[in-house]
DNA sequence: CATGAATGAGAGTTCATTCAT
DNA sequence: GATGAATGAACTCTCATTCAT
């Protein structure tokens, strides 16, 4: 994929006043709405501006390119997710595997699910936007937080912690993603946390170094 | 997302002559190549035609709309995946959980990995194309095959097989997807099958009905 | 002829500013000019825009489809014609047949002749555009105005007024059309009004109810 | 209107064999049908060929350009009309005005009405095709035939016979055209001949030289 | 001669972006 | 700053015409 450097994907103008912030928020909100109502191919700057109740000119005041707007929306979402994971992981340092898994799964399902529609809409954006590096960075951050946490598990120790973390993260996201893409099933959504805990705990216990596990108990 | 019915997404002239078939193949190939080299936003019908060594007119003779072309490419890929899963699942009817998991994981990783680039490129297509129903259908097929297989496990029995299958499929795809999106790591790729087996088997054994497990042993 | 409903043939942004109105007028004028200079098959949106001194984008801001543009031009012309006929007919209520005919013929010839080139150019547009219903509506309006007038003739009364009106209108338009299509002959143009009066009056007097004619004289 | 000389509007190949003639006829027929079913803008060579049951290549064997095909169809129609008028006019040499009018009106209404749909479809073709000269020529022929006939009227003589003929022809065609364009009304169609006779005879009698009329009677 | 796959110029239309008001 | 009319490059798609089979 041609990865031309994107100059200034970041919004040029840092909003300093309340009015500005309100405008930016309205634009963010409008972007998500258009995304959901019309789909990415029909998301035009004019449509977003209209729905946000501002003019195109104003929109361009805050986001000098369309890509910058989409990037910002994606960023806002992923940043929130990363922060949640980091907070949860940090809080669990020194806990048992079971406690860790329960907390992480709960937090992750919660954050991905509470804005279910938004999450779904942003998949297309991430896929199309030239944001691969950024997305990879976020995933890296998430994994780092998880890895740091796993290292402090009171009842387990892992030989290849990088691999274990990778699988942990992958396993966490897989079923959630499938759920997001599919027709929203309330049933599945209810079962998801417990099932995800089962999956993760099952895996982590299997992979935990037996010697240490013994020592821990 | 506005889901206007797409009339005749696959309504394309069926090639009747050998020459035609070669043309269609060249167009398929070119589509993947452009997707990888330029990305979906820069995939235009003219660029595809040029790379395929034909004129736009010819392209449109076989794919009456751009969407039809993308859909066909996606379809070819997913059909292959679904077929692979179905074959593998069917072959494992009556086997043990461990055998099932090993076979399925191997087949799935293999098919997704052998055309790694193609798989990656198609994510954006699926996300943007109005192909949700089709993609969901494929997932349904996959799950049905897995469920039918799991029901025949010689050493296990599940209470809520629908949920178990859903998680099984989700867990299978999660880490693979993460791998596809990231920078291809040979290390991870090597470990993936064993790790996936561990994850799946860990989960399935945990969820298997204890009574039956006892009986089986 | 496949008469698919044309959605929003006239759905165009209503110009709100003076600048806009000037733009729209320029586009109208340019359309007629291109029609005359190049003919309908060579009338492209780009050519019209160029001649109007604006960009294609601007043209499409006011006329969302090419058809809408052509329709608007046709409409402007026919509306003017219909208005002229209605005004003339209304003014002659209660007059004698001879006065009526003289006035209507004069008005009709005048309006069709003053923008002779425009009239001619629009025949092809009307023939090709999916405007049959609209054109028929205009003709209906014209006939209604003539019929209402004829009913009030002070010196005549008709048995089958619908038929008489139909023929009156048809006879009126026939020679004018022939003249428009042909090479403009100043001679014929000069004679036309008197001749048309003769034709119409001859016909109407023939068809007038004899009893009433007697009474009137 | 840019009147670039049309090279070779005539069909290149004069069909010599029965098979060829059948093919040409099928193509003619198909053209009319497509014209009626789809309208001029959707009349493509491929569609015509398909409906005629031949390949595009074959169509181009007989008509080297699309214009040549349309021109030929138009020609066939107008030739038939012109021939009919000429025959009728010639047969009436030396007759009375009343006889002349009756015969001409009958013939003209008949020929235009029997292939009503065809007549209507060809208006757009004539308007768009670069056939103005040809159409004018046909009209000229028709007028010449009428004029020659009128000159021999046994009971009338005209001062300005050119003008009278022009009006006669124009009056003849006006109501017919209106009828063709509108929704076909059986009522009007039935009345048309008598009404047209009335119009024409009324006019001609008015314009006939009184002196001669006296002498004639 | 007939076929129909291939061609590619050119048409209609969209939309990110600019800038005079 | 805000506005929204104007821009025009770029895209999708059509169709008259050609020519290898």
């Amino acid at each position: 994929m041609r990865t031309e450097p994107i100059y200034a994907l970041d919004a040029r103008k840092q909003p300093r006043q309340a009015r500005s912030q309100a405008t930016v928020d309205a634009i963010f909100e409008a972007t998500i709405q258009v995304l959901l109502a019309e789909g990415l191919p029909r998301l035009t700057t004019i449509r977003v501006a209209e729905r946000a109740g501002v003019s195109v000119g104003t929109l361009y005041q805050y986001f000098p390119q369309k890509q910058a707007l989409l990037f910002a929306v994606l960023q806002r979402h992923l940043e929130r997710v990363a922060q949640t994971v980091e907070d949860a992981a940090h809080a669990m340092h020194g806990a048992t595997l079971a406690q860790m898994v329960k907390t992480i799964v709960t937090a992750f399902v919660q954050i991905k699910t509470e804005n279910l529609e938004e999450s779904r809409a942003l998949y297309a954006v991430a896929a199309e936007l030239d944001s691969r590096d950024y997305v990879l960075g976020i995933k890296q951050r998430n994994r780092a937080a998880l890895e740091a946490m796993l290292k402090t598990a009171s009842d387990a120790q892992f030989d290849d912690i990088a691999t274990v973390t990778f699988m942990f993260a992958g396993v966490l996201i897989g079923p959630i993603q499938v759920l997001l893409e599919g027709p929203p099933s309330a049933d599945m959504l209810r079962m998801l946390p417990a099932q995800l805990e089962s999956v993760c705990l099952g895996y982590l216990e299997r992979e935990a170094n037996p010697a240490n596990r013994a020592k821990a108990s």
Side-chain angles (χ1 to χ4, degrees), chain A:
Chain A
M1 166 113 51
R2 242 179 54 170
T3 347
E4 341 166 333
I6 299 289
Y7 303 111
L9 257 196
D10 301 290
R12 270 294 159 78
K13 164 174 306 190
Q14 289 305 330
R16 303 255 161 78
Q17 311 171 0
R19 182 158 61 116
S20 303
Q21 187 54 53
T23 302
V24 168
D25 284 346
I27 293 173
F28 273 135
E29 210 43 57
T31 306
I32 304 278
Q33 281 176 31
V34 172
L35 218 42
L36 289 170
E38 312 260 356
L40 182 54
R42 291 174 59 84
L43 182 145
T44 70
T45 50
I46 287 190
R47 260 193 271 263
V48 169
E50 259 171 10
R51 206 178 266 245
V54 300
S55 69
V56 225
T58 299
L59 187 154
Y60 271 84
Q61 202 88 32
Y62 295 101
F63 303 95
Q65 301 153 228
K66 186 189 175 187
Q67 283 212 330
L69 168 62
L70 291 177
F71 189 80
V73 173
L74 182 63
Q75 198 173 29
R76 204 180 59 153
H77 177 80
L78 291 182
E79 210 66 43
R80 216 150 46 192
V81 173
Q83 196 59 55
T84 301
V85 170
E86 280 172 345
D87 289 351
H90 196 75
M92 284 298 105
H93 274 213
T96 62
L97 274 189
Q99 291 170 320
M100 286 177 172
V101 164
K102 186 177 189 64
T103 303
I104 293 293
V105 162
T106 305
F108 203 67
V109 168
Q110 157 77 15
I111 188 76
K112 277 287 180 189
T113 287
E114 74 180 7
N115 295 71
L116 192 143
E117 297 283 271
E118 185 176 322
S119 294
R120 184 188 300 165
L122 288 174
Y123 271 109
V125 173
E128 178 153 326
L129 205 59
D130 212 349
S131 61
R132 252 186 102 201
D133 291 346
Y134 175 71
V135 173
L136 291 180
I138 287 286
K139 290 201 170 130
Q140 185 52 46
R141 259 178 71 186
N142 284 341
R143 275 203 295 273
L146 293 180
E147 186 173 321
M149 175 190 75
L150 285 179
K151 274 184 181 157
T152 69
S154 65
D155 59 348
Q157 192 170 315
F158 302 93
D159 286 340
D160 184 352
I161 192 141
T163 299
V164 168
T165 309
F166 180 90
M167 293 301 294
F168 183 22
V171 158
L172 213 47
I173 214 169
I176 293 181
Q177 203 146 276
V178 172
L179 203 71
L180 286 181
E181 289 164 359
S185 152
D187 262 21
M188 280 298 172
L189 232 167
R190 219 178 313 110
M191 307 202 126
L192 191 63
Q195 294 293 315
L196 264 181
E197 272 184 62
S198 176
V199 169
C200 295
L201 206 50
Y203 170 68
L204 291 175
E205 283 175 351
R206 260 176 161 260
E207 296 296 321
N209 193 320
N212 279 279
R213 207 170 2 156
K215 191 181 64 187
S217 56

